[in-house]
Amino acid sequence: MKRTYLSIFCIAFMGISFLSAQEKIPQVEELLAKMTLEEKIGQLNLLTPGGGIATGSVVSEDVETKIKAGNVGGVFGVSSPEKVRQAQDIAVKSSRLGIPLLIGSDIIHGYKTTYPIPLGLSSSWDMELIKEGAQIAAKEATADGINWNFSPMVDIARDPRWGRIAEGAGEDPYLGSQVAKAMVQGYQGEDLTQPNTMMSTVKHMALYGAAEAGRDYNSVDMSRLKMFNEYFPPYKAAVDAGVGSVMTSFNDIDGIPASGNKWLLTDLLRERWGFDGFVVSDYTSVNEMIAHGLGDLQAVSALAINAGLDMDMVGEGFLTTLKKSVDEGKVSEETITIAARRILEAKHKLGLLDDPYRYSDESRPEKDILTEENRSFARKAATRSFVLLKKHENTLPLAKNANIALIGPLADNKNNMLGTWAPTGNPQLSIPILEGLKNVAPNAKITYSKGANISDDSTFAKKVNVFGERIMISEESSETLLDNAMEVADAADIIVAVVGEATEMSGEAASRTDITIPDSQKKLIRELSSTGKPVVLVLMSGRPLDISEEMNLPVSILQIWHPGVEAGNAVGDVLFGNYNPSGKLTNSWPRSVGQVPVHYRMKTTGRPGPESGEFQKFKTNYLDSPNSPLLAFGYGLSYTTFEYSDVKASSGELTANGSIQLTATVTNTGDFGGEEIVQLYTHDKVRSITPPGKELKAFKKIMLKKGESQAVTFEISAADLKFYNSDLKYVAEPGEFEFFIAGSSDADFKGSFTLKK
């Protein structure tokens, strides 16, 4: 799906909307009473003048003329107080009713101050950090005139071939729900009329992360049980947190594309979940229903508005066909009135109907955007997102006076620090790794060599470089690059190799069937690891990679995702020990792409694979690989070590209306102080539908000094054990439960309790 834009949830159901039962806003109703049918339809039209990144083939034309005619409800791709004021001037002073515009944007992981990609931020497991990041992004974006954000993306994703896995929070519905809630609260705050808050959009409704074959925009087919138990929770968490808008996805659900799916947008979103905001389509997704095979533009536009879609992004099908559909009795005027009401109510919530220029304060950008305070936060967020995947001997942390060979195509490369979907950031303001290491350890001797191209394949590079040069193929031969790197390595005591994916090797329209490190870099890694010197791989990517080969080499591995504007400083902080890495993976990493999908919630089946991992005929296992992932969900190392003991429950029985405490003692047994993310999982031993092997129920991040112990306690009630049964009723069934308290999903420190009737 394209850079997802606003979700506007709306729909007329039997001529009566969910919202119509609520108290109406006089200011909105007065406007509606004055509006012609054409002006109501105009409010449902979202356009872009092309000032930002277009993620489809369409860029709107004659935008100013359409605004003056009352044919535009919102725009995106416009920023700065001056430009936003100009746009609002046209709407307020030159249209008949003077209705201001929504001003939207994709602000995915920070605005000008760019943070790690969302998959990286989720690896912090720090909801306060994530919420603060959204607050800072809202403050910066609103300073630049923007009042509506197309974020968060909360799609559960378990297929690392899918490039947009970079934009979400991973594979787990519970963790994903916590992230969704934190981001909505961060963007919207307590009062949307405050000029430093903005309306949030949860996307993509729904199931977009389960695209078949990991190919972007592809079909999705899954059972209702899987939808409700595994994929819907983060969307619902955002709705429960008060998100103002919802964006539809590109895929179909039960054979009907999301933008025209009445069961999804009305029956589920509005009537079951009680959503009272507006629903917006993704980029031209209404028009794309033609290619899905559901009719011409008039037919699919009528399908969408009748299904509960309120706003059409860029496609203009609503603008050009809805009046005809009303005249022909295919759409009721009341349906259009309800959708227009939802758009106007959003503008009321933002305070735009009282002050259209609320977000046009020209004094704000200088004092609110890319400040030292904001960059300091970005640096902190990046350090918390890094995941130490492997420790070899005692290489890390590095001494601040070390003699270091810094090698790799991503080691001194500003263009690849921000990550995918950072259209509002400036890569040239980022701190590359070379600069950051020198900043943190000025007494270290650091010598740089590129060593290899990100990829030697010029055809592949051309596909990646759509938004600018991300893969630069050197005029020097790959042999010369490698020879130069080996000379630098020979003169050093320690080798730090920065390798992995370019920014646009993941993200939208960046699906890959091969999720290994490119061959050009693999060759470099092999040669460096054969020197006998300590080697640290600093791995940059927007997705889980297949690093089975690299995990078997004598190297340490630090996963840094794409870290954002403060990338180099944050990497320096962690490599030199200013911060002890504490991140944990929010996706399982496969041993090979042939395992995909592999995730920790997989069911055991009637012929479970052997616990030993050794192959057994007529069991659910592979001839050529263990069932388990290479790296489990929740996995992440530290410069210190942690041990778990004394796992216990306060009672062996949990009543339907009571709660019990589940406790484990965690001890820092290593040589450094460090943070540990303590995770609680449960397993329902007998259930009316087949249960997953484990389910994450809670987590806590604790700090322990060297030698320190702490008892970590989680309180759990029957409500925490609920699931959707085969009737889609949300229930907790009595029976025996195992629980696991550990540092990752594959650990096995467990106890048990029984839920009583």
Side-chain angles (χ1 to χ4, degrees):
M1 122 202 229
K2 76 62 320 59
R3 169 19 340 98
T4 185
Y5 295 96
L6 251 268
S7 270
I8 280 179
F9 268 16
C10 119
I11 189 155
F13 179 69
M14 305 286 290
I16 301 174
S17 78
F18 181 86
L19 276 184
S20 64
Q22 299 180 349
E23 183 177 350
K24 294 178 180 177
I25 299 167
Q27 191 178 25
V28 169
E29 298 308 310
E30 290 172 11
L31 275 174
L32 285 170
K34 298 175 184 177
M35 296 172 78
T36 65
L37 174 61
E38 291 85 351
E39 287 169 328
K40 292 175 184 176
I41 293 171
Q43 287 298 303
L44 316 185
N45 192 29
L46 176 63
L47 300 182
T48 177
I53 291 176
T55 59
S57 59
V58 178
V59 176
S60 309
E61 298 179 352
D62 298 324
V63 175
E64 182 174 342
T65 300
K66 290 169 183 172
I67 294 173
K68 289 178 178 179
N71 288 334
V72 181
V75 296
F76 62 94
V78 176
S79 63
S80 87
E82 298 84 358
K83 291 180 180 178
V84 168
R85 180 176 288 274
Q86 290 169 9
Q88 296 292 24
D89 266 344
I90 298 169
V92 172
K93 297 178 180 179
S94 299
S95 68
R96 187 178 78 89
L97 294 176
I99 300 172
L101 301 165
L102 291 170
I103 308 293
S105 185
D106 283 289
I107 301 155
I108 309 305
H109 47 111
Y111 184 60
K112 299 292 188 183
T113 305
T114 310
Y115 320 136
I117 59 170
L119 186 61
L121 276 178
S122 73
S123 299
S124 73
W125 296 56
D126 188 332
M127 298 307 112
E128 288 303 314
L129 181 86
I130 291 170
K131 180 178 178 181
E132 184 180 356
Q135 289 171 332
I136 294 172
K139 184 177 181 179
E140 289 199 347
T142 55
D144 232 5
I146 298 161
N147 53 51
W148 180 30
N149 187 18
F150 308 143
S151 174
M153 191 199 92
V154 302
D155 303 320
I156 295 297
R158 295 170 175 173
D159 191 335
R161 295 173 297 179
W162 189 55
R164 297 198 79 169
I165 198 171
E167 291 180 57
E171 71 183 45
D172 182 68
Y174 176 79
L175 179 64
S177 296
Q178 303 310 304
V179 172
K181 176 182 175 182
M183 294 191 74
V184 169
Q185 292 175 340
Y187 290 134
Q188 297 192 166
E190 299 295 327
D191 182 359
L192 272 174
T193 65
Q194 293 300 308
N196 62 348
T197 64
M198 65 194 314
M199 185 164 286
S200 174
T201 303
V202 65
K203 62 189 187 186
H204 308 91
M205 189 77 183
L207 316 179
Y208 184 41
E212 289 183 350
R215 194 171 71 243
D216 219 348
Y217 319 117
N218 207 4
S219 295
V220 173
D221 191 9
M222 71 171 63
S223 69
R224 294 281 172 96
L225 272 178
K226 194 167 189 176
M227 292 181 199
F228 276 80
N229 283 312
E230 302 183 46
Y231 281 79
F232 281 168
Y235 307 120
K236 185 176 186 300
V239 170
D240 291 344
V243 73
S245 63
V246 174
M247 183 181 290
T248 57
S249 56
F250 289 115
N251 55 278
D252 58 338
I253 293 104
D254 284 346
I256 302 175
S259 294
N261 194 306
K262 184 176 181 293
W263 173 79
L264 183 73
L265 302 187
T266 299
D267 299 353
L268 177 71
L269 183 63
R270 293 205 177 276
E271 297 187 355
R272 184 162 185 153
W273 291 357
F275 176 67
D276 64 357
F278 71 97
V279 178
V280 63
S281 75
D282 207 335
Y283 206 107
T284 66
S285 67
V286 173
N287 309 57
E288 290 166 24
M289 289 194 286
I290 300 170
H292 277 283
L294 295 184
D296 61 15
L297 184 59
Q298 182 183 355
V300 297
S301 297
L303 178 67
I305 191 76
N306 286 329
L309 187 79
D310 301 308
M311 183 173 266
D312 176 15
M313 182 185 290
V314 176
E316 300 192 46
F318 282 10
L319 186 70
T320 58
T321 71
L322 284 187
K323 185 177 186 302
K324 182 180 180 183
S325 291
V326 171
D327 293 342
E328 295 175 353
K330 296 173 181 176
V331 175
S332 72
E333 183 168 354
E334 175 64 10
T335 295
I336 292 170
T337 299
I338 289 167
R341 176 181 290 118
R342 290 174 180 150
I343 305 306
L344 294 175
E345 286 177 338
K347 295 177 180 182
H348 170 80
K349 290 175 184 176
L350 287 165
L352 291 171
L353 298 183
D354 294 323
D355 180 7
Y357 306 103
R358 186 179 298 272
Y359 300 91
S360 298
D361 182 347
E362 295 183 13
S363 70
R364 286 190 60 195
E366 184 176 356
K367 64 184 180 182
D368 287 346
I369 296 177
L370 265 174
T371 63
E372 287 302 313
E373 180 182 11
N374 292 358
R375 292 193 71 131
S376 177
F377 172 83
R379 181 173 179 169
K380 173 184 175 181
T383 63
R384 272 62 176 176
S385 74
F386 299 165
V387 185
L388 184 59
L389 301 182
K390 183 183 177 188
K391 295 191 291 187
H392 181 68
E393 298 179 340
N394 295 313
T395 304
L396 292 171
L398 303 178
K400 291 185 178 179
N401 60 354
N403 179 8
I404 299 169
L406 180 64
I407 295 170
L410 292 164
D412 189 24
N413 187 324
K414 290 187 175 185
N415 285 343
N416 285 295
M417 295 301 102
L418 300 190
T420 184
W421 272 119
T424 55
N426 181 354
Q428 298 313 307
L429 297 179
S430 66
I431 307 296
I433 310 302
L434 175 59
E435 181 181 341
L437 298 194
K438 290 180 176 180
N439 290 341
V440 175
N443 294 325
K445 180 182 178 182
I446 302 173
T447 308
Y448 163 73
S449 177
K450 182 176 180 179
N453 296 312
I454 294 173
S455 171
D456 291 332
D457 185 339
S458 59
T459 301
F460 180 72
K462 184 177 180 180
K463 296 174 184 177
V464 171
N465 292 344
V466 172
F467 295 140
E469 190 175 65
R470 301 295 185 259
I471 297 178
M472 191 275 284
I473 298 179
S474 175
E475 293 182 0
E476 296 182 283
S477 69
S478 56
E479 291 78 12
T480 299
L481 291 175
L482 181 58
D483 289 344
N484 291 341
M486 296 309 292
E487 288 180 12
V488 170
D490 286 343
D493 298 324
I494 295 171
I495 300 167
V496 174
V498 188
V499 295
E501 289 190 314
T503 287
E504 300 304 327
M505 285 173 64
S506 56
E508 187 170 350
S511 299
R512 295 178 62 196
T513 59
D514 181 353
I515 56 171
T516 59
I517 297 170
D519 287 342
S520 55
Q521 299 178 72
K522 274 185 167 290
K523 183 177 181 181
L524 172 65
I525 294 167
R526 292 183 196 115
E527 293 297 318
L528 294 175
S529 66
S530 69
T531 62
K533 296 185 177 184
V535 177
V536 178
L537 299 185
V538 176
L539 183 59
M540 192 178 295
S541 74
R543 54 161 51 87
L545 296 174
D546 170 3
I547 56 169
S548 298
E549 178 185 355
E550 289 73 24
M551 287 291 286
N552 285 323
L553 295 175
V555 299
S556 298
I557 305 176
L558 179 69
Q559 170 68 14
I560 65 167
W561 314 105
H562 289 107
V565 70
E566 285 288 314
N569 289 332
V571 171
D573 285 339
V574 172
L575 289 183
F576 290 110
N578 291 350
Y579 180 75
N580 187 348
S582 62
K584 303 271 190 176
L585 298 177
T586 56
N587 273 104
S588 305
W589 285 38
R591 297 177 186 274
S592 73
V593 74
Q595 277 189 312
V596 173
V598 59
H599 54 90
Y600 88 93
R601 287 174 56 105
M602 299 184 86
K603 299 178 180 181
T604 58
T605 83
R607 294 187 177 188
E611 293 184 7
S612 66
E614 296 180 1
F615 175 77
Q616 289 185 18
K617 195 70 171 177
F618 307 119
K619 296 289 187 178
T620 181
N621 47 197
Y622 298 105
L623 286 169
D624 56 353
S625 172
N627 289 353
S628 61
L630 180 69
L631 300 169
F633 173 86
Y635 171 88
L637 303 176
S638 167
Y639 294 155
T640 191
T641 53
F642 299 97
E643 289 187 0
Y644 286 72
S645 62
D646 199 22
V647 175
K648 61 186 179 182
S650 61
S651 172
E653 294 186 353
L654 172 61
T655 62
N657 297 317
S659 64
I660 59 174
Q661 288 73 46
L662 308 178
T663 303
T665 298
V666 185
T667 302
N668 183 340
T669 56
D671 295 326
F672 300 89
E675 293 170 303
E676 171 71 339
I677 299 166
V678 184
Q679 303 156 44
L680 170 67
Y681 299 87
T682 62
H683 170 61
D684 193 347
K685 297 189 73 173
V686 177
R687 183 182 276 190
S688 60
I689 61 171
T690 54
K694 289 179 182 175
E695 297 176 86
L696 180 69
K697 295 298 181 183
F699 54 88
K700 290 182 180 179
K701 193 169 190 176
I702 62 171
M703 174 69 192
L704 293 176
K705 298 177 183 177
K706 175 183 177 180
E708 184 179 8
S709 295
Q710 181 177 328
V712 180
T713 298
F714 300 95
E715 185 168 346
I716 195 165
S717 68
D720 298 309
L721 305 175
K722 286 186 173 182
F723 64 96
Y724 289 93
N725 66 14
S726 56
D727 295 322
L728 296 184
K729 293 180 179 178
Y730 198 46
V731 299
E733 294 177 346
E736 185 179 356
F737 288 79
E738 295 177 308
F739 69 92
F740 308 80
I741 301 178
S744 67
S745 63
D746 60 349
D748 202 23
F749 305 98
K750 66 181 180 179
S752 64
F753 62 88
T754 300
L755 175 62
K756 307 298 287 186
K757 291 184 180 179

